[in-house]
Amino acid sequence: MNSLIRAEVSAAALRDNLQRVRELAPSSRVMAVVKANAYGHGLVTTALCLADADAFAVARLQEALVLRGAGVRKPIVLLEGVFDPEQLAEAARHDLEVVVHGDEQLALLATAPAGSTFVVWLKIDTGMNRLGFRVEQVDSALVRLASLGPRIRELRLLSHFASADEPASCENDLQLARFNALSAGRSWTRSLCNSAGLFAMPEAQAEWVRPGLALYGVSPFPELLGSQLGLRPAMRLVSTVIAVRDVLAGEAVGYGGAWRAAADTRVAIVAAGYGDGLPRSLENGTPVLVNGARASLVGRVSMDMIAVNVTAIQGVQVGDPAILWGPELPVEQIAAHAGTIPYELLCSVSQRVPLAVR
Ligand SMILES: Cc1ncc(COP(=O)(O)O)c(C=O)c1O
């Protein structure tokens, strides 16, 4: 039985985007960021499509365990590290690389049973002020790590840009300068670039890059589309017209009568709502492609449905396809109509939307 709504994921697009990342950073290894269900694209299937990546990165232990359970043998980095002895033991058991970003995690590592060894990514706070050791704390963190002896199989350095999506921001150069100053003269393996950094700060690519959004074919820059960066959008969110009705001039549509017809209007009801992950904040006029033609959202998004003005499209009927976003309708533009960023739309695709990988 076909689902009314589905998210089609293109394996070829994912692979092409990985290739694009490699072209951009030919001297770096690629840690594919697949947290949050691979930004809505499906954790395991995405990792399998991106099997050529050099490593995977996730935010939560559970995500890493799902990947290991699915047979993913590549290195997996826990971007937020571990938080209790049980998680530490799981990380050791499954050979997960851990970020260490605070004193509590240093203390936790010291409790690791003899014989367990870790690749540790020491996280440096170069200006984001979220996670990581401040530059002036690094020396003492290194002393504590050195005291852990063979538990530390390899020590690497990582930081995160706060504003790489604003290439003109001088914060980026400041962060890079702090990071470089720390690692100068030492032979550490380092990682700094997310997707935006990859494009905007080529001088920061270092030994590892950590793209997420770019792998899904989407632009991290508000003023650009993925296609303009040589990327291919990997997801198409497509649903179905489940009713067509004629609304008379002056009549309102949907909850709260938030949209009222200025003239007689043909409205298609599409099976997609906030229960599927469409933000309720989508504004009137947001584009939707019905039978490939551009229509516009009218009225409020409800849990399971939206209404779309199809007056200008001939012959729309129940069963016709309606694309909410995809290669033909950039998710970056839809996000702008909801006052949000494409990351949020992709991650919000809900569990009841089946993923179809092609
Ligand atoms: C530490 C870290 N590195 C890399 C990424 C990937 O970022 P992006 O999706 O912008 O490429 C993220 C995502 O939030 C992150 O938290």
Side-chain angles (χ1 to χ4, degrees):
M1 195 179 66
N2 287 334
S3 167
L4 290 171
I5 184 166
R6 65 189 179 280
E8 298 172 355
V9 176
S10 163
L14 290 170
R15 285 194 283 265
D16 285 356
N17 294 329
L18 176 58
Q19 190 48 38
R20 173 80 179 119
V21 166
R22 290 210 186 277
E23 282 165 24
L24 287 161
S27 309
S28 307
R29 279 179 279 175
V30 179
M31 190 189 296
V33 179
V34 293
K35 60 191 174 130
N37 200 27
Y39 293 41
H41 293 66
L43 174 58
V44 170
T45 47
T46 298
L48 296 179
C49 292
L50 295 176
D52 284 342
D54 301 293
F56 295 100
V58 294
R60 310 274 198 261
L61 174 66
Q62 203 49 41
E63 296 174 314
L65 297 184
V66 168
L67 288 176
R68 284 286 187 252
V72 174
R73 300 267 63 90
K74 286 270 168 83
I76 300 177
V77 180
L78 294 175
L79 289 173
E80 294 170 7
V82 288
F83 296 90
D84 61 41
E86 207 178 315
Q87 292 189 4
L88 186 67
E90 286 285 70
R93 189 172 309 126
H94 295 280
D95 199 15
L96 307 176
E97 300 183 6
V98 292
V99 164
V100 169
H101 57 72
D103 287 334
E104 300 83 353
Q105 290 182 325
L106 282 175
L108 187 57
L109 265 183
T111 70
S116 49
T117 67
F118 297 90
V119 172
V120 167
W121 290 85
L122 190 69
K123 185 154 190 177
I124 315 301
D125 178 7
T126 51
M128 179 104 166
N129 281 316
R130 195 175 59 174
L131 297 180
F133 294 92
R134 297 175 73 91
V135 170
E136 61 274 17
Q137 299 170 323
V138 170
D139 280 342
S140 74
L142 289 175
V143 170
R144 289 181 69 184
L145 280 165
S147 74
L148 300 180
R151 288 194 187 90
I152 311 302
R153 192 157 82 232
E154 196 185 329
L155 182 58
R156 301 177 179 175
L157 220 57
L158 170 145
S159 192
H160 194 49
F161 281 123
S163 306
D165 57 335
E166 297 167 37
S169 165
C170 54
E171 264 309 306
N172 298 321
D173 297 318
L174 272 175
Q175 286 195 256
L176 177 59
R178 290 184 190 119
F179 196 62
N180 283 344
L182 260 184
S183 47
R186 315 202 220 198
S187 58
W188 272 324
T189 297
R190 298 155 305 150
S191 177
L192 188 53
C193 281
N194 56 1
S195 297
L198 184 69
F199 288 96
M201 302 285 291
E203 66 277 33
Q205 284 168 357
E207 287 71 35
W208 283 87
V209 292
R210 307 188 309 270
L213 197 66
L215 292 173
Y216 307 105
V218 178
S219 167
F221 305 107
E223 68 285 3
L224 286 174
L225 301 176
S227 55
Q228 294 169 303
L229 296 168
L231 302 168
R232 287 179 59 193
M235 183 194 290
R236 176 185 291 113
L237 184 64
V238 57
S239 190
T240 310
V241 172
I242 57 169
V244 179
R245 60 200 313 107
D246 290 312
V247 174
L248 299 178
E251 289 182 336
V253 171
Y255 283 118
W259 180 85
R260 198 169 285 280
D264 292 355
T265 303
R266 177 152 290 188
V267 167
I269 306 300
V270 175
Y274 57 79
D276 303 293
L278 280 194
R280 189 170 176 277
S281 52
L282 278 178
E283 61 189 359
N284 278 292
T286 301
V288 176
L289 294 184
V290 178
N291 283 340
R294 210 168 160 100
S296 59
L297 180 88
V298 293
R300 285 198 187 129
V301 174
S302 45
M303 188 181 295
D304 314 302
M305 288 172 259
I306 52 172
V308 179
N309 183 343
V310 292
T311 313
I313 307 173
Q314 287 302 306
V316 173
Q317 46 187 338
V318 169
D320 285 348
I323 293 173
L324 288 318
W325 65 69
E328 318 81 346
L329 186 59
V331 67
E332 294 93 330
Q333 289 175 353
I334 304 304
H337 283 281
T340 186
I341 51 175
Y343 295 83
E344 191 179 2
L345 292 199
L346 296 173
C347 290
S348 300
V349 172
S350 78
Q351 273 192 329
R352 79 173 180 189
V353 178
L355 293 170
V357 183
R358 290 150 189 215

